[in-house]
Amino acid sequence: MVLTLARLVVAGLSGLLTYAAIEPRGWWWAAIVGVGLLYASLLPWGTRHVTARVGALLAVAHSLVLYLLTLPWIGELVGSGPYIALAIWLSVYAILLGIGGAAVARWKYGFIAFPFFYLAVEVLRSSVPFGGFSWVKLAWGQIDGPLANLAPWGGTSLITAATVLCGCGLAALLIQRGWKAKSAAFLAAILPLASATVAGLGINRDDSTVGEAKVAAIQGNVPRMGLDFAGQRQAVLNNHVAETKKLAARDKDIDLVIWPENSSDINPFRDGKAASAISGAVDAIDAPVLVGTATRDEVGARNTMQVFAPGHTVGDHHYKKYLQPFGETMPMRDFFAKFSDYVNLAGDFKPGDGPGVVSMAGVPVGVATCYEVSFDNAFRESVKNGAQLLTTPTNNATFGYSDMTYQQLAMSRLRAMETDRAVVVAATSGVSAIVHPDGHVSQSTEIFTPDALVEQLPLRSGETFSVRFGSPLQWLMVIIGTVCALVALRTNRLRRTPRRSGTDTYVGA
């Protein structure tokens, strides 16, 4: 019992350290130490192996601490109940991680297999049910560290696996016995960092630049109180119109302008006043403007990013494809309505199926609206469909001054590195930012402050290895991890290790 409690303390500490890597703290090294401690808690201590039941308990403890600390921003809208429920639900996946991880950890070289199984569980959590929840990938916490340089070669999956491999290598280096095992552990801890450092030499190369565009991101801000719902929507639209006109008065050479998601929640195709206001801003800036709005077609309600061009011209649109379950859409609405009134807060938007690209002044711009940026295929599809510049229009006003907007900005930065494209982040209330292809932020805004960012950005062509092969590489690693865990479970069932005083025997490979 004492040993189990000690393991629980280590597992809880591992969750705390892993959380410290997430923005806005950004202590990237803490995630390596954190997952290393998780693996250490699953390793045999002396002759005492971790059972499947205890392994599940340890992984759940790690996950609960991590997600309860990462996701309080969700409670800004719906209160603490749903936020805690989500953290608990995400921790359910850790049961698999703990059972398989405890089995793999009995192998002498299990620290090589565990990263692949960790990734397999992360992919499962990011995929099902209802499209999964990819917001909590381990890779996001590496944006300020060297492992982020692996993004063009394998995206978030490769970074996650590399982070866990480093951590497991450190844990095995301290706990394993024998020079061969310690040598392998040392290489496991060092090689990902060394490879990432070398990979960084190929980040942001100018040979794929095909032009430039002067781009503006508008942050109109939102009213904080004192208006009804309709008044709020009109005020948000007015704010973005006003900021665009201010920019037009001081800069006449803008090529294209990005407004945030929900910058006009009044449908301009059904409201003449809204259409007139948008047209006035477009004509003033004399450049196409990508406007976040809510529209409806024969399928249903859409979260839409719509291009409006000078001369009252309507251009391309992007219907948000990856909708937030329990927010923008409500899976199994009738069923969940029996348990909570929060169901009524969820929207009924329908997903789009477009190319993820809109044309603005001849520039193909890839669009991932807010939550979409957390999904690997969103910007990969945009780039495959010819996007030379990317944008993440978002509405973070609901979440106040929480960490949410900084967590999301880290995703946009990693996507810039993965795709070798500049990313323009336009947020209603902040943080808006200009992100370069190497992931660095050249400009950003304060939260709840009206502002406009303008910068000359490179237009890039071509596809990185991750854009082309990131998905099959991910599934290859997932298969390796799953097979390793199944073999370890089977092996441990067939070959029990006898307890021998003073000996330390590993089961399996």
Side-chain angles (χ1 to χ4, degrees):
M1 175 61 73
V2 174
L3 198 60
T4 299
L5 289 176
R7 290 183 185 273
L8 272 174
V9 171
V10 172
L13 180 60
S14 75
L16 176 63
L17 282 169
T18 305
Y19 160 73
I22 299 170
E23 296 292 328
R25 282 148 297 278
W27 300 349
W28 61 270
W29 53 268
I32 294 176
V33 178
V35 293
L37 286 177
L38 172 61
Y39 185 69
S41 73
L42 296 171
L43 278 170
W45 291 3
T47 60
R48 296 297 184 91
H49 293 147
V50 175
T51 65
R53 184 178 300 177
V54 172
L57 179 64
L58 295 172
V60 167
H62 162 87
S63 298
L64 273 176
V65 172
L66 173 59
Y67 301 139
L68 285 172
L69 292 173
T70 301
L71 300 173
W73 53 266
I74 292 175
E76 295 281 333
L77 174 63
V78 294
S80 59
Y83 137 64
I84 293 173
L86 176 60
I88 293 173
W89 169 250
L90 295 175
S91 299
V92 168
Y93 294 86
I95 295 174
L96 295 175
L97 180 63
I99 293 173
V104 167
R106 294 190 182 192
W107 289 352
K108 189 172 186 178
Y109 296 99
F111 56 87
I112 299 175
F114 183 77
F116 295 102
F117 184 58
Y118 184 102
L119 175 64
V121 176
E122 179 177 275
V123 170
L124 178 67
R125 187 180 60 240
S126 301
S127 304
V128 294
F130 316 126
F133 192 70
S134 52
W135 194 277
V136 291
K137 290 183 177 181
L138 185 66
W140 305 131
Q142 294 303 302
I143 185 58
D144 289 323
L147 294 178
N149 292 329
L150 297 174
W153 296 99
T156 57
S157 294
L158 182 59
I159 296 171
T160 287
T163 304
V164 181
L165 183 59
C166 286
C168 290
L170 288 175
L173 184 62
L174 294 174
I175 297 177
Q176 295 280 60
R177 296 180 180 179
W179 70 269
K180 288 184 179 180
K182 285 187 177 292
S183 297
F186 176 77
L187 290 176
I190 294 300
L191 279 180
L193 293 169
S195 300
T197 301
V198 174
L201 300 176
I203 297 287
N204 195 24
R205 298 178 66 91
D206 290 333
D207 52 7
S208 60
T209 300
V210 295
E212 290 186 333
K214 192 173 184 179
V215 184
I218 302 297
Q219 179 175 303
N221 202 15
V222 301
R224 298 294 287 162
M225 60 178 61
L227 297 174
D228 59 16
F229 180 67
Q232 286 268 358
R233 294 187 302 168
Q234 186 65 57
V236 171
L237 172 57
N238 292 344
N239 288 351
H240 286 85
V241 168
E243 284 302 311
T244 304
K245 289 183 176 180
K246 288 180 184 178
L247 177 61
R250 66 177 186 267
D251 198 327
K252 299 293 185 182
D253 300 319
I254 306 296
D255 292 315
L256 55 96
V257 180
I258 309 295
W259 282 14
E261 177 190 33
N262 304 126
S263 48
S264 176
D265 257 355
I266 304 172
N267 186 346
F269 298 108
R270 295 190 176 185
D271 188 291
K273 185 178 179 181
S276 178
I278 292 171
S279 293
V282 172
D283 289 342
I285 200 72
D286 194 27
V289 179
L290 184 63
V291 176
T293 187
T295 62
R296 180 174 292 274
D297 60 12
E298 65 278 1
V299 176
R302 304 284 200 175
N303 186 329
T304 306
M305 295 303 303
Q306 177 68 58
V307 177
F308 293 92
H312 302 274
T313 303
V314 177
D316 295 342
H317 65 262
H318 168 74
Y319 291 150
K320 191 172 184 178
K321 294 188 283 186
Y322 300 93
L323 298 172
Q324 182 184 0
F326 306 98
E328 294 170 309
T329 184
M330 187 66 214
M332 303 170 62
R333 184 180 294 269
D334 292 340
F335 172 77
F336 286 111
K338 298 176 182 179
F339 305 98
S340 174
D341 293 335
Y342 284 119
V343 168
N344 298 325
L345 295 176
D348 192 26
F349 286 98
K350 306 302 179 185
D353 58 0
V357 178
V358 297
S359 179
M360 301 181 70
V363 177
V365 179
V367 184
T369 307
C370 195
Y371 183 64
E372 289 188 301
V373 73
S374 68
F375 289 86
D376 292 333
N377 284 336
F379 275 149
R380 286 177 183 173
E381 291 177 2
S382 296
V383 171
K384 288 179 179 179
N385 288 319
Q388 298 176 346
L389 177 74
L390 304 177
T391 183
T392 308
T394 182
N395 177 18
N396 301 337
T398 304
F399 305 107
Y401 290 91
S402 71
D403 291 351
M404 180 270 185
T405 189
Y406 303 102
Q407 293 175 12
Q408 188 182 60
L409 178 57
M411 300 175 196
S412 293
R413 293 174 60 195
L414 204 59
R415 295 306 184 196
M417 299 178 71
E418 179 185 6
T419 60
D420 189 36
R421 298 293 191 275
V423 179
V424 180
V425 181
T428 49
S429 58
V431 171
S432 300
I434 303 294
V435 183
H436 286 255
D438 62 357
H440 92 270
V441 176
S442 58
Q443 298 184 62
S444 62
T445 63
E446 298 294 329
I447 297 180
F448 292 112
T449 303
D451 207 344
L453 305 177
V454 180
E455 193 158 337
Q456 197 85 16
L457 294 175
L459 304 177
R460 295 277 173 89
S461 64
E463 299 175 3
T464 63
F465 186 89
S466 181
V467 169
R468 290 183 181 180
F469 305 112
S471 183
L473 176 62
Q474 170 188 279
W475 289 112
L476 175 61
M477 291 189 289
V478 166
I479 291 171
I480 292 172
T482 303
V483 170
C484 284
L486 291 175
V487 170
L489 287 167
R490 180 66 174 171
T491 301
N492 292 338
R493 179 177 297 178
L494 293 177
R495 297 173 59 191
R496 301 290 185 181
T497 301
R499 292 187 179 180
R500 299 173 183 173
S501 178
T503 63
D504 185 11
T505 306
Y506 286 88
V507 176

